[in-house]
Amino acid sequence: MNILLKSAKIINAQNSELHLKKRDILIKNGIIDTIATKIEAPKGVKTVALKNLHVSLGWFDSSVSFGEPGFEERETISNGLHTAALSGFTDVVLNPNTHPLADSSSDIVFLKNASLDFASNLYPLGCMTMGAEGKDLAELYDMRNAGAVGFYDFKSPITNSNLLKIALQYVQNFDGLLYSQPLDVNIAGKAEVHEGITSTKLGLKGIPAMAEELQIVRDLFILEYTGGKLHIPTISTANAVKLIADAKKKGLDVSCSVAIHNLYFTDELLEEFDSSYKVYPPLRTKKDTKALIKALNDGLIDFVTTDHIPLNVELKAVEFDNATHGAIGLESAFGLLHQIYDLEKCIELLTQGRERYHIKENKFVEGNKASLTLFDPDLEYVFDKEKIRSTSKNSMVLGQTLKGKVYGIYNNNQLVLET
């Protein structure tokens, strides 16, 4: 598809000649052909002129769940990738959160084939252990060859320390990336929310910050012993940041992410017993959110994620104790993050992280592939169900005033715009 973006303000700090400049951008057959102050539309080229149009390199999300196969009522791959595109994401890493779980090369091949020909790219994770049961290693090498970008027993901690040790040693043979969920299950028990003043007041069992931090300490000790590459997903406490920062100073190959909602919301919202706010890791305190925000500013946390988890209504519209953890986050990601950071920092955070997964990073220059996100950063609006394109509607952001509207993306020679 050939298109001409008119009067687009470019947000790309890596290119000082274009950064914060308004330009016309001509794209031919998926390649950036010309960037100039003014371009007349050639014959047969679609002109895209949108109010307050801004454009950046395509956004990246390291943690999304859909439902297919097995939970198509939550989300299909097709609708999930369309939602990602309308939310500004050209590349998403898919969690093994399906039935059956992705623990073999054939499962990875299915996911790759099902995601062909879409504007947004899908990069699957495979389970680290068979059936995510934490007992026997899955077919890690075969899954890597089939296209898996990492290995993760989704939201399930690896309780067997020796198994993690062996896995870290094994994946070094092919530069594999392992995930370890930061939760000591013996400390957490059957708790549902953050342990603190709010949980005590409400009579809810709490997960202490220590449960996250003890697991991280264990994982980092093992990593120091074995070497290898470790990713700690969705950290949520102030001390977790310090532990990982210290490990990086030692030279350990460890990365971490944080869910955008853990930067914005706190456990005080649980006073209404609204299961929309029941997520894992749990919403923590204001002290924690401040520490996480600062850590992103300082580069101590590697990237943000939506931690998008669609759930059908019967899993959320129940008593708080019985509700399933999880919330969708793709559609509200930019508007929520832009409430916390200025525009340039927002785009920096939304575009970083690919190198951890050996995903090629594009550059905003003529002759390169066009992988772009289109948006208006200044539009303020109330986020309601009409803004949700996911099949599931389990959002914790409903009713919030957000800043920044995504128009869509251009990627893989396809233009996807909100209609």
Side-chain angles (χ1 to χ4, degrees):
M1 172 181 276
N2 300 332
I3 68 167
L4 175 62
L5 301 178
K6 293 293 292 182
S7 299
K9 190 171 185 177
I10 297 171
I11 309 298
N12 183 236
Q14 288 73 40
N15 189 333
S16 58
E17 292 183 4
L18 293 177
H19 185 48
L20 302 179
K21 304 291 195 307
K22 273 193 177 183
R23 295 290 186 268
D24 288 356
I25 305 167
L26 178 62
I27 301 171
K28 292 183 177 179
N29 300 317
I31 304 297
I32 300 174
D33 181 88
T34 309
I35 304 172
T37 304
K38 188 174 183 179
I39 302 173
E40 295 298 328
K43 186 177 180 180
V45 171
K46 177 182 175 68
T47 298
V48 178
L50 299 167
K51 182 180 179 182
N52 196 29
L53 176 60
H54 286 58
V55 62
S56 73
L57 290 172
W59 300 347
F60 171 74
D61 191 351
S62 66
S63 179
V64 304
S65 298
F66 295 149
E68 186 180 358
F71 300 121
E72 285 84 357
E73 72 279 8
R74 298 178 185 176
E75 190 67 279
T76 62
I77 290 173
S78 174
N79 192 68
L81 287 174
H82 185 62
T83 299
L86 292 176
S87 304
F89 294 93
T90 57
D91 302 278
V92 296
V93 174
L94 183 69
N95 294 310
N97 186 21
T98 55
H99 183 72
L101 293 165
D103 61 3
S104 70
S105 58
S106 60
D107 296 319
I108 300 300
V109 170
F110 168 80
L111 294 170
K112 294 290 288 184
N113 288 340
S115 64
L116 294 175
D117 302 323
F118 288 91
S120 292
N121 301 312
L122 183 150
Y123 300 92
L125 295 169
C127 291
M128 178 181 143
T129 65
M130 295 298 296
E133 294 178 350
K135 296 178 181 178
D136 301 301
L137 288 183
E139 302 172 3
L140 305 186
Y141 180 68
D142 289 346
M143 285 193 288
R144 171 64 183 271
N145 287 340
V149 295
F151 309 104
Y152 181 24
D153 288 357
F154 180 65
K155 300 295 185 184
S156 297
I158 303 300
T159 58
N160 185 330
S161 298
N162 190 53
L163 187 65
L164 179 62
K165 183 198 78 170
I166 292 170
L168 280 167
Q169 291 170 326
Y170 175 62
V171 297
Q172 290 177 56
N173 294 307
F174 51 91
D175 196 29
L177 176 65
L178 285 186
Y179 278 56
S180 182
Q181 189 65 42
L183 181 73
D184 185 313
V185 294
N186 295 310
I187 296 290
K190 296 182 179 180
E192 304 285 342
V193 300
H194 171 68
E195 181 184 85
I197 294 173
T198 300
S199 65
T200 302
K201 190 162 51 175
L202 300 179
L204 295 171
K205 294 179 181 177
I207 303 173
M210 177 175 61
E212 180 170 310
E213 294 149 12
L214 279 176
Q215 192 81 347
I216 290 173
V217 169
R218 185 209 67 165
D219 292 348
L220 294 175
F221 266 112
I222 295 173
L223 180 64
E224 187 171 7
Y225 176 82
T226 60
K229 293 167 61 175
L230 183 68
H231 180 66
I232 301 175
T234 58
I235 65 172
S236 65
T237 76
N239 280 335
V241 172
K242 296 177 183 177
L243 292 168
I244 295 169
D246 289 343
K248 288 182 176 183
K249 287 178 182 177
K250 290 181 180 180
L252 301 188
D253 193 350
V254 59
S255 57
C256 63
S257 62
V258 60
I260 293 172
H261 53 252
N262 279 103
L263 299 170
Y264 191 81
F265 297 111
T266 69
D267 64 336
E268 293 176 2
L269 292 168
L270 300 175
E271 293 186 0
E272 299 296 325
F273 289 95
D274 184 345
S275 64
S276 299
Y277 299 108
K278 186 176 179 181
V279 290
Y280 172 68
L283 301 179
R284 301 285 187 183
T285 66
K286 192 67 179 175
K287 174 187 174 183
D288 293 305
T289 61
K290 287 181 177 179
L292 295 168
I293 290 169
K294 185 177 186 301
L296 277 167
N297 269 324
D298 295 341
L300 300 177
I301 297 177
D302 297 273
F303 34 90
V304 297
T305 175
T306 66
D307 205 25
H308 178 82
I309 305 176
L311 295 169
N312 34 307
V313 64
E314 56 266 29
L315 296 177
K316 296 297 279 187
V318 292
E319 294 85 355
F320 190 89
D321 281 349
N322 296 325
T324 302
H325 292 90
I328 60 172
L330 282 170
E331 296 97 322
S332 56
F334 177 51
L336 201 60
L337 196 63
H338 198 15
Q339 298 279 64
I340 304 169
Y341 297 101
D342 64 30
L343 178 58
E344 291 179 57
K345 185 65 179 179
C346 269
I347 302 307
E348 176 190 331
L349 293 173
L350 289 167
T351 53
Q352 65 190 25
R354 289 178 177 86
E355 69 282 354
R356 190 60 170 163
Y357 301 88
H358 297 297
I359 298 170
K360 183 179 179 181
E361 295 190 70
N362 286 312
K363 293 185 178 180
F364 210 131
V365 294
E366 294 176 354
N368 272 30
K369 176 187 174 183
S371 179
L372 307 174
T373 299
L374 286 60
F375 56 96
D376 174 356
D378 299 326
L379 183 66
E380 293 191 0
Y381 62 96
V382 175
F383 188 78
D384 55 30
K385 284 192 175 182
E386 292 182 358
K387 307 292 191 305
I388 297 176
R389 296 294 174 262
S390 300
T391 302
S392 298
K393 311 300 179 186
N394 54 308
S395 171
M396 66 172 68
V397 187
L398 290 172
Q400 294 284 326
T401 298
L402 303 184
K403 183 180 180 183
K405 172 184 172 58
V406 176
Y407 288 123
I409 65 169
Y410 183 95
N411 192 45
N412 294 333
N413 200 18
Q414 299 178 55
L415 178 66
V416 179
L417 291 180
E418 183 72 55
T419 56

